[in-house]
Amino acid sequence: MGIFDIFKKKPKFVDDLFGEMGYTKFKDSSKNFYDGEVHFQGKLIAINLDADENGPTDEQKDFFRKLDKEYDKIKESIILPFLKKELEDNIEDAGLNDFDNEFDFDGISIGRIKNDKTEWSITYDSKPMRHNVSIDFEGMKPKYMTVDG
């Protein structure tokens, strides 16, 4: 990718689940990805998918559908306990007691799926913290949290 390649329009790809997405290619094709917006839990959020020129895989689509369908369970049993542990010093101000009103979905990123496992992340805009909070997962296990903003 040359310096002037940043001014080129991204090729568009239309997916049956994710809709119209931009496609970014690199010399190292393992870094190629799609990005766009998709409905998740009734809200329009950013989506990023690591995939080749054939588009998102059926496994990535199934994984996304599972996240959307089982989100409440995942939130209660995995996300909230992890955030409480990570934010224990700031728990009073973190907005976790009213999570659904204090944390807005920002986006989901899904990596390539190998052996039914993937690295993925979910990002929220935390109103009380005035920062984005991202949780990176391996499979369904949260690995670390990043706060930026």
Side-chain angles (χ1 to χ4, degrees):
M1 180 184 257
I3 185 98
F4 294 106
D5 289 341
I6 61 173
F7 299 111
K8 289 183 183 178
K9 281 191 165 193
K10 286 186 190 180
K12 294 292 180 184
F13 181 88
V14 179
D15 182 77
D16 60 338
L17 175 64
F18 299 113
E20 187 174 294
M21 304 180 81
Y23 181 54
T24 303
K25 286 174 58 170
F26 294 92
K27 285 183 182 177
D28 177 356
S29 62
S30 69
K31 296 179 180 181
N32 294 357
F33 67 90
Y34 292 84
D35 62 321
E37 293 184 323
V38 67
H39 286 279
F40 181 82
Q41 294 290 297
K43 296 179 182 180
L44 195 60
I45 65 164
I47 184 78
N48 183 293
L49 299 149
D50 294 342
D52 64 23
E53 66 277 351
N54 296 314
T57 65
D58 289 338
E59 293 85 2
Q60 287 173 312
K61 293 176 190 183
D62 290 343
F63 186 79
F64 178 82
R65 286 184 192 107
K66 178 182 176 183
L67 289 177
D68 194 30
K69 181 180 177 187
E70 298 178 9
Y71 176 73
D72 288 334
K73 179 181 167 190
I74 294 166
K75 177 182 72 174
E76 293 299 324
S77 64
I78 299 171
I79 294 173
L80 286 175
F82 180 75
L83 284 175
K84 285 178 182 175
K85 182 178 141 220
E86 292 294 310
L87 297 171
E88 65 186 336
D89 292 338
N90 302 320
I91 202 79
E92 294 173 347
D93 300 320
L96 294 178
N97 292 329
D98 194 11
F99 183 82
D100 292 330
N101 289 319
E102 298 293 337
F103 283 74
D104 287 329
F105 285 114
D106 189 47
I108 293 177
S109 180
I110 302 173
R112 288 175 166 80
I113 297 179
K114 297 174 188 154
N115 301 322
D116 294 327
K117 296 223 181 206
T118 186
E119 292 182 1
W120 65 283
S121 65
I122 192 164
T123 303
Y124 300 97
D125 177 23
S126 170
K127 294 175 193 172
M129 294 169 54
R130 296 184 186 161
H131 289 285
N132 287 330
V133 176
S134 296
I135 304 170
D136 293 330
F137 292 81
E138 285 182 13
M140 295 310 290
K141 183 173 179 150
K143 289 299 185 180
Y144 55 90
M145 178 187 77
T146 306
V147 177
D148 61 352

